[in-house]
Amino acid sequence: MNPLYRNTHYLTSAARLSQAPTDDGREIAFAGRSNAGKSSAINTLCDQKSLARTSKTPGRTQLLNFFEIDPERRLVDLPGYGFAKVSVSIKQQWQGLLSQYLEKRQCLHGLFLMMDIRHPLKDYDVQMLDWAASIGLPAHVLLTKADKLKKGPAAASVLKVRKVLSAYDGDLFSVQAFSALKRQGLDEAHAVMDDWLAL
Ligand code: GDP
């Protein structure tokens, strides 16, 4: 892995796009339903124990949380979606923030989408893919917690998702199995990040 990822540190949070860092350099956004394993994936990919915990501190869960790798490169932890308990108006607020970020952010080079390998492609996951497809944004799906399935069913889940992704236009989307717990799939995920971040 590129040692630069170990430098990744919390930069700032934004409740609206105007509060985001200057739109230059390169960014990769991380999205997923809550509990999909997004924080664990970010921590593992940056070889740090509690980097993404910053995003879970009260008051920050509905914000865009920016992490700086170096002055030209950032990871962005998007608000986790799928909480049952928040009100419709709060949901609409994040959808507004998310869609604005995805549509307007020039430095955004790709989306990592975390889905539990046992339950991929829930409504919200498909919505994120539809959004990405509509703006021509590349997306890479991490099927998380791969250690929870035996090899056969894990491979079957990857194939199933790959088939759905291939129905979208072109080669924008890719998918792999991933386990933060077993550190499985790190090289493959880093290769995609290196590419999008021009590392
Ligand atoms: P987030 O809400 O998407 O940020 O998810 P977290 O990273 O906090 O993970 C949610 C739960 O899944 C936690 O209990 C994690 O310990 C667990 N988890 C995350 N990644 C893995 C993994 O690779 N394997 C297993 N077995 N559990 C995981």
Side-chain angles (χ1 to χ4, degrees), residues 57-71:
T57 47
R60 285 199 186 139
T61 54
Q62 288 156 27
L63 306 177
L64 305 172
N65 292 298
F66 291 85
F67 296 88
E68 184 175 78
I69 302 167
D70 72 8

Side-chain angles (χ1 to χ4, degrees), residues 23-37:
D23 190 356
D24 60 13
R26 288 173 174 251
E27 272 172 15
I28 297 178
F30 284 71
R33 291 166 54 84
S34 21
N35 220 38

Side-chain angles (χ1 to χ4, degrees), residues 170-182:
D171 297 325
L172 277 182
F173 297 161
S174 48
V175 56
Q176 66 163 102
F178 187 83
S179 166
L181 189 70
K182 301 283 182 193

